[in-house]
Amino acid sequence: MEAMMTGMINNIFFIIFPIIVYQMLATAGQRNFFVSHRVTMTVLFSISIILCMLFPYQFLTDQYIFDLRQVPMIVGALYGGPLVSAMLFLVSSVGRFFIGGDGMYIAILNQFVIAAGVPFLRPLYMRIKRFGKIVLVFCISIASLLFNMFAGAYFFGDPLHDIIGIWLMLMINQGTIIVLTALLIEHIQRQEYMYNSLLKHEKMETVSHFAAAVSHELRNPLQSIKGFIQLMKEYEYSREKQIEFHNLILKEINAAEDLIDDYLVYAKPTFGQLEPITVSAEISHILKIMAPYANGKDVDMHISEVDEKAEILVDRQKFQQALVNIIRNGIEAMPEGGTLVIAVKSSPAKVWIEVTDEGVGMTKEEVNRLGEPYFSNKIKGTGLGMMVTYSIVSQMNGHIMVDSEKGRGTEFTLEFPNLAASEKK
């Protein structure tokens, strides 16, 4: 009895093994078992069949040596179709031929019936619900064993009333295992289908957020342009006033173009020439640019620590854009004024740029949502600036880490590969 249980467990493992491997290796979001990995699954199920035949087990009495090769054969035929079924039949037939024995021809004939007949049931199997699939796969398993039982009785002359009990137990044994196998596959498929649906939902949500953000941001300059054109149409203005209106219209058009460029940077980042830059020099330049804005908000900006030799490989213009976005956010997070501190640190492999403010801070949930479309802590914000910043840094092989606490400020850390380490490679 112990040997039978050990052999049965081994066979079950041989059957479950390819399904587990599939789940680990298959691309996330694939909806149909076997469809995208027919070759891989055929190979794995072939191994399963061979192992089941090489390690059979005695069932109840010494006269019956049994294995579960029919389970991967039936499952393979139902999920893989005629071609997979034919390959599995070829593998099982060759294996059974080399094993030999009295029941060899009956076994090969039985495997041929499975390989030829079960694929015709595949369209029906794919249409019906889970319970129907369980019933169908169980019935196929029973029919297969009934074929073996009657063929054995006919060729070997065993009275059916003497063997019916053993075969009923075999049917329950194999039927239960094939049902569990089918349920496992269906569970994997359902998980993959749900994951695929979630990915589609997230993409649609992102598109809707982008559409809302674009319409919201473009409406302001378009309304201004529309207003100026209507004024110029309805009233006579001096040449001086017309030039003023023209300049304002051009300014609004440029604002709209800049907005579109920002969205393109996020959706499909394009970079100019990547060049080595000295981070400290770039930081000093950016602080000079931002100084008037910071002074207007009563914010003091200074560098607390700097590695003068730290160099990184980036697109200078896009790098400045990303850092300006972060510094501007830090300044705007301090409506009552405060201090913004920048530090540049490095190791042989990495360069870190830390931007720390004394602003309102963020909760963990808000930190996790940074960079999402249409998420912003500002009343009229769309989150576009941070979306672009995350996209730029990521495309230049960098990472952004955020440490924040509500009411106690925020620290942004930009991490880039050290140019010295890159040159050594």
Side-chain angles (χ1 to χ4, degrees):
M1 188 68 178
E2 184 179 344
M4 184 188 80
M5 291 302 298
T6 302
M8 189 188 305
I9 292 170
N10 287 339
N11 272 237
I12 293 171
F13 172 76
F14 299 149
I15 294 165
I16 301 299
F17 167 74
I19 302 171
I20 295 173
V21 172
Y22 166 83
Q23 188 176 25
M24 290 190 297
L25 300 181
T27 306
Q30 296 290 343
R31 288 181 56 183
N32 295 318
F33 195 77
F34 255 124
V35 168
S36 301
H37 305 86
R38 276 195 173 95
V39 174
T40 302
M41 290 305 302
T42 302
V43 171
L44 290 171
F45 270 20
S46 296
I47 295 171
S48 177
I49 289 170
I50 292 170
L51 289 173
C52 284
M53 288 192 294
L54 290 176
F55 298 95
Y57 56 95
Q58 292 179 346
F59 194 82
L60 297 181
T61 69
D62 295 342
Q63 294 180 340
Y64 282 88
I65 305 296
F66 191 65
D67 63 70
L68 297 172
R69 86 190 75 145
Q70 290 187 6
V71 174
M73 280 200 65
I74 295 170
V75 169
L78 286 173
Y79 286 95
L83 184 59
V84 173
S85 183
M87 292 303 298
L88 294 180
F89 165 70
L90 182 63
V91 170
S92 62
S93 298
V94 171
R96 188 65 185 86
F97 179 80
F98 279 106
I99 291 172
D102 295 336
M104 178 184 68
Y105 294 110
I106 296 175
I108 293 175
L109 180 61
N110 175 258
Q111 289 159 191
F112 174 77
V113 172
I114 293 173
V118 173
F120 287 103
L121 298 173
R122 185 174 185 269
L124 171 64
Y125 185 80
M126 291 301 173
R127 286 198 310 269
I128 57 181
K129 294 183 179 179
R130 178 182 287 195
F131 180 76
K133 289 181 178 181
I134 291 171
V135 173
L136 181 58
V137 79
F138 186 81
C139 290
I140 293 172
S141 174
I142 298 301
S144 171
L145 290 178
L146 284 173
F147 177 90
N148 275 356
M149 182 182 74
F150 284 111
Y154 177 78
F155 286 107
F156 298 110
D158 295 332
L160 285 176
H161 60 81
D162 289 342
I163 61 173
I164 189 67
I166 297 290
W167 279 96
L168 281 174
M169 293 299 294
L170 286 173
M171 291 174 194
I172 294 172
N173 174 248
Q174 180 172 289
T176 302
I177 294 167
I178 200 169
V179 163
L180 292 175
T181 304
L183 283 173
L184 177 60
I185 294 172
E186 289 300 310
H187 176 70
I188 292 172
Q189 287 201 137
R190 177 172 292 188
Q191 282 186 319
E192 291 175 341
Y193 177 77
M194 290 175 65
Y195 184 74
N196 197 40
S197 300
L198 180 62
L199 288 178
K200 287 182 179 178
H201 174 75
E202 287 181 349
K203 289 177 183 177
M204 291 301 297
E205 188 177 11
T206 300
V207 169
S208 67
H209 286 163
F210 263 86
V214 169
S215 62
H216 175 79
E217 290 290 307
L218 284 179
R219 188 176 287 113
N220 293 333
L222 289 177
Q223 288 291 349
S224 299
I225 294 167
K226 182 180 177 182
F228 285 125
I229 291 174
Q230 286 175 340
L231 285 173
M232 293 172 68
K233 181 181 178 182
E234 294 178 8
Y235 302 101
E236 290 291 336
Y237 290 98
S238 64
R239 180 62 180 164
E240 232 176 72
K241 200 68 176 174
Q242 288 180 8
I243 291 173
E244 181 185 345
F245 283 175
H246 286 161
N247 289 335
L248 290 171
I249 289 172
L250 287 173
K251 182 180 177 182
E252 294 299 327
I253 290 173
N254 289 332
E257 287 179 343
D258 289 342
L259 176 71
I260 292 170
D261 288 341
D262 281 345
Y263 273 99
L264 291 175
V265 166
Y266 177 77
K268 192 177 180 181
T270 55
F271 299 108
Q273 182 68 37
L274 294 179
E275 57 181 306
I277 64 167
T278 303
V279 179
S280 60
E282 251 358 270
I283 297 294
S284 298
H285 176 69
I286 291 169
L287 289 184
K288 287 179 183 177
I289 294 173
M290 298 300 297
Y293 186 69
N295 292 334
K297 299 287 185 178
D298 198 23
V299 172
D300 174 41
M301 296 190 300
H302 67 270
I303 299 174
S304 66
E305 179 184 350
V306 61
D307 182 346
E308 298 286 353
K309 296 181 179 179
E311 291 187 330
I312 56 178
L313 188 67
V314 292
D315 179 331
R316 186 186 300 271
Q317 183 180 354
K318 297 300 181 185
F319 173 77
Q320 290 178 359
Q321 181 183 358
L323 205 54
V324 164
N325 283 341
I326 291 175
I327 293 173
R328 183 189 294 117
N329 278 355
I331 294 170
E332 292 173 354
M334 297 181 282
E336 306 298 327
T339 302
L340 187 139
V341 181
I342 298 178
V344 179
K345 304 175 183 178
S346 71
S347 74
K350 301 289 182 182
V351 173
W352 298 277
I353 304 165
E354 298 174 355
V355 181
T356 309
D357 65 60
E358 299 174 339
V360 294
M362 293 177 285
T363 64
K364 288 184 178 180
E365 181 184 355
E366 289 170 337
V367 169
N368 290 334
R369 292 194 63 190
L370 279 177
E372 288 185 11
Y374 216 58
F375 173 76
S376 175
N377 288 325
K378 304 172 190 176
I379 295 173
K380 295 183 179 180
T382 63
L384 176 59
M386 288 311 298
M387 281 168 29
V388 171
T389 300
Y390 271 79
S391 181
I392 288 173
V393 172
S394 175
Q395 291 295 319
M396 292 190 291
N397 298 319
H399 300 282
I400 297 179
M401 294 162 284
V402 183
D403 182 20
S404 185
E405 188 176 339
K406 204 71 175 175
R408 299 190 66 179
T410 302
E411 180 182 87
F412 278 86
T413 302
L414 279 66
E415 179 186 271
F416 292 95
N418 194 324
L419 181 60
S422 303
E423 288 177 345
K424 287 179 182 178
K425 292 178 182 179

